[in-house]
Amino acid sequence: MTEVSSLTGRLLVAAPALADPNFDRAVVLLLDHDEEGSLGVVLNRPTPVGVGDILASWAGLAGEPDVVFQGGPVSLDSALGVAVIPGDEGPLGWRRVHGAIGLVDLEAPPELLAAALGSLRIFAGYAGWGPGQLDGELQDGAWYVVESEPGDVSSPRPEGLWRAVLRRQRSELAMIATYPDDPSLN
């Protein structure tokens, strides 16, 4: 049995058989996982909306592609900022989640973080699970749990992240990266 808090900062990679269209080939960074539930953002769902269209003051700090990402199906009208800040100390307006990855207070002045930012992504909405819900999905085999890397948050090719994360695994998961988009055409 996995210790509940140990999943914060890790990636959930959707299994090919996961039937929920919200998470088809999704890569989710878990920002919080405890007895009260889980919260994360989908890293590989860019939208056509530019960061400058909704958060003009943060637009110059967002990495490429500088668009808003759909973080999940919950609260699409809210925004979350996730940033990679190298080093031991983070600036005001940033809260470490795991390693160099943390949450940005989007109400803070961007100048507080600008010099320290390694990368920034803005997400509309998030993925959320109630108490025990994610653990049940994990037991059903809907997700693979793998270690995150800071570059996952800022991947310049988010559409290829599902395959890239699986491919770097040193187990049978690497083979799943070759799973066809539509197995009936195989």
Side-chain angles (χ1 to χ4, degrees):
M1 180 89 176
T2 303
E3 182 182 312
V4 171
S5 63
S6 68
L7 298 183
T8 297
R10 295 176 97 190
L11 296 178
L12 299 177
V13 181
L18 181 60
D20 185 340
N22 290 306
F23 297 110
D24 182 44
R25 300 218 173 191
V27 177
V28 177
L29 172 65
L30 279 176
L31 301 170
D32 195 19
H33 179 75
D34 59 26
E35 64 280 345
E36 295 177 23
S38 304
L39 179 138
V41 289
V42 179
L43 297 177
N44 58 335
R45 296 277 193 273
T47 71
V49 178
V51 172
D53 295 339
I54 62 161
L55 292 169
S57 62
W58 290 96
L61 299 174
E64 289 296 323
D66 60 348
V67 297
V68 175
F69 282 66
Q70 184 174 337
V74 182
S75 292
L76 292 174
D77 58 345
S78 65
L80 282 170
V82 177
V84 174
I85 296 186
D88 295 329
E89 295 296 318
L92 288 175
W94 180 77
R95 180 179 63 85
R96 186 178 312 278
V97 171
H98 177 77
I101 301 167
L103 287 168
V104 172
D105 177 0
L106 295 174
E107 299 293 322
E111 307 80 58
L112 283 179
L113 292 109
L117 278 180
S119 66
L120 170 68
R121 276 271 151 84
I122 303 295
F123 297 90
Y126 62 90
W129 293 264
Q133 184 181 3
L134 178 57
D135 296 322
E137 291 181 19
L138 291 172
Q139 289 175 357
D140 292 343
W143 300 97
Y144 307 117
V145 179
V146 301
E147 293 298 324
S148 64
E149 294 180 3
D152 296 331
V153 172
S154 58
S155 173
R157 293 194 52 248
E159 65 282 349
L161 194 59
W162 185 84
R163 288 188 195 283
V165 168
L166 287 171
R167 201 173 290 124
R168 75 177 183 230
Q169 302 309 306
R170 296 175 187 235
S171 65
E172 64 277 355
L173 286 181
M175 289 182 49
I176 293 170
T178 64
Y179 197 85
D181 291 335
D182 185 351
S184 67
L185 298 176
N186 202 6

